[in-house]
Amino acid sequence: MKNKYIKIISILLSIPFFILSFILGIASNNESYHLLDPHIDTEFAKDYTPIKFDLIKIGMSKTEVENIIGQPNSIYFEPTISATKTFEYTQDGKLNKNAEQKQAKGGDYAWYRSTLEYNRENKVSKIDKGWSYD
């Protein structure tokens, strides 16, 4: 009878721990949002910050953008009719580069995406930002 009560009490005491672990993203192995450190798995371009990225508006020139947030991490050119260029200022993989750190932090997490597209006139034609769970 005593063992039964011990089991019930231990289960009741462990439930809040497991709930808190999943809320904080500690126990989850899939891509989840980390409440304590949201940008834990986001690699930023050298001069980029999310606050600076919010200053960018459609129609700004490439020079204006570079003066605000600097150079991107990567550039992709789409040689189609629209001939758009995509500039990525953030990317996934900060934890993927260091397996030991990834293990210590509890796995893989969502990353914050910040991308600009430029048209033929080198003006911002699209702004894409948000969380990526991949």
Side-chain angles (χ1 to χ4, degrees):
M1 189 70 137
K2 184 178 178 183
N3 285 342
K4 185 178 180 180
Y5 288 123
I6 291 174
K7 285 182 181 179
I8 292 171
I9 290 171
S10 65
I11 290 171
L12 290 175
L13 291 175
S14 64
I15 290 172
F17 170 75
F18 286 113
I19 291 172
L20 183 62
S21 294
F22 280 101
I23 289 173
L24 295 177
I26 296 168
S28 177
N29 256 355
N30 61 353
E31 293 265 341
S32 59
Y33 180 83
H34 194 288
L35 289 176
L36 300 178
D37 188 0
H39 297 109
I40 192 170
D41 201 13
T42 306
E43 187 173 324
F44 294 156
K46 183 181 175 202
D47 297 320
Y48 167 93
T49 67
I51 293 170
K52 288 180 183 180
F53 194 78
D54 286 340
L55 299 173
I56 307 303
K57 305 294 179 214
I58 300 288
M60 290 180 104
S61 70
K62 195 164 89 168
T63 304
E64 290 172 308
V65 171
E66 287 174 353
N67 287 336
I68 296 171
I69 56 176
Q71 295 294 317
N73 279 339
S74 56
I75 301 171
Y76 299 97
F77 179 66
E78 186 72 32
T80 60
I81 296 171
S82 63
T84 60
K85 289 177 248 167
T86 303
F87 284 50
E88 294 182 345
Y89 288 88
T90 59
Q91 62 191 36
D92 186 12
K94 189 163 81 172
L95 290 178
N96 288 335
K97 291 180 181 176
N98 187 338
E100 202 173 282
Q101 183 183 22
K102 182 177 181 177
Q103 182 72 23
K105 298 291 184 180
D108 201 8
Y109 292 95
W111 59 283
Y112 192 73
R113 178 185 71 257
S114 299
T115 304
L116 298 176
E117 281 187 15
Y118 289 90
N119 58 22
R120 290 180 188 271
E121 293 80 34
N122 282 326
K123 302 280 183 179
V124 175
S125 58
K126 181 180 176 184
I127 300 172
D128 180 35
K129 61 183 179 176
W131 293 100
S132 291
Y133 301 87
D134 57 357

